[in-house]
Amino acid sequence: MQELDHKKTIDILNSIMEFELAGVVRYTHYSLMVTGPNRIPIVAFFKAQATESLLHAQQVGEILTGLEGHPTLRIAPMEETFKHNVKDILQESLSHEKKALDMYKSLLEVVNNASIYLEEFTRGMIGQEEMHNLELKKMLRDFS
């Protein structure tokens, strides 16, 4: 096993935490903006995404403090597009989830062969993000 690069790991974890916290805001906003006949299940979906983003931020924060890092108080920048139809919201969500997937993959590159726990945690998060990407792609499939 190689030595864990604590600084690089902590920096990436803080970026992920900022991004997951932004996801809480993003998905809460989306849940409030959905209208139309399919509103109820889509709102429930976005509320669940917001809750999951908060859980992910908390999990990452616990790892950060375990590594003697200092969890950020910031959230990642978000742009308000003012596009609130379901298709646009789902496309923005897919873009967000793709970026989250890339961030966890970057973390895996740093922790691979340096920490079994961090490697397994990160692989699990990558799996969850891949599932979110697939789910959003399926939700977008019927839009022309």
Side-chain angles (χ1 to χ4, degrees):
M1 286 209 119
Q2 65 189 21
E3 185 74 25
L4 181 67
D5 184 336
H6 278 73
K7 182 180 178 349
K8 202 169 197 177
T9 302
I10 287 168
D11 288 347
I12 294 171
L13 286 168
N14 258 319
S15 294
I16 290 171
M17 188 170 172
E18 288 179 14
F19 198 74
E20 292 287 8
L21 289 172
V24 175
V25 174
R26 173 184 299 279
Y27 289 127
T28 299
H29 175 78
Y30 291 163
S31 75
L32 298 168
M33 299 309 298
V34 174
T35 59
N38 298 314
R39 182 177 193 281
I40 291 171
I42 295 170
V43 166
F45 170 77
F46 283 125
K47 284 181 177 180
Q49 292 298 108
T51 299
E52 188 172 278
S53 288
L54 179 58
L55 175 62
H56 290 174
Q58 290 168 337
Q59 289 173 313
V60 167
E62 289 292 346
I63 293 168
L64 266 164
T65 54
L67 294 173
E68 299 181 18
H70 186 266
T72 181
L73 283 173
R74 294 186 309 264
I75 64 170
M78 289 174 288
E79 181 184 338
E80 167 61 86
T81 63
F82 296 98
K83 295 179 182 176
H84 296 121
N85 69 57
V86 173
K87 182 181 179 187
D88 287 330
I89 290 172
L90 290 172
Q91 285 175 324
E92 286 178 27
S93 299
L94 180 58
S95 175
H96 178 81
E97 293 296 331
K98 284 179 179 176
K99 183 163 185 196
L101 178 58
D102 289 342
M103 294 176 88
Y104 283 108
K105 285 180 177 179
S106 294
L107 178 61
L108 184 59
E109 289 176 17
V110 174
V111 302
N112 198 29
N113 291 320
S115 167
I116 292 171
Y117 170 73
L118 290 176
E119 193 176 320
E120 291 302 314
F121 169 78
T122 305
R123 287 181 189 282
M125 298 305 279
I126 288 170
Q128 288 182 43
E129 298 300 343
E130 285 178 347
M131 283 302 300
H132 293 163
N133 276 270
L134 290 173
E135 193 65 39
L136 285 162
K137 286 176 185 174
K138 285 167 64 175
M139 291 171 81
L140 278 161
R141 213 178 274 166
D142 287 345
F143 290 95
S144 55

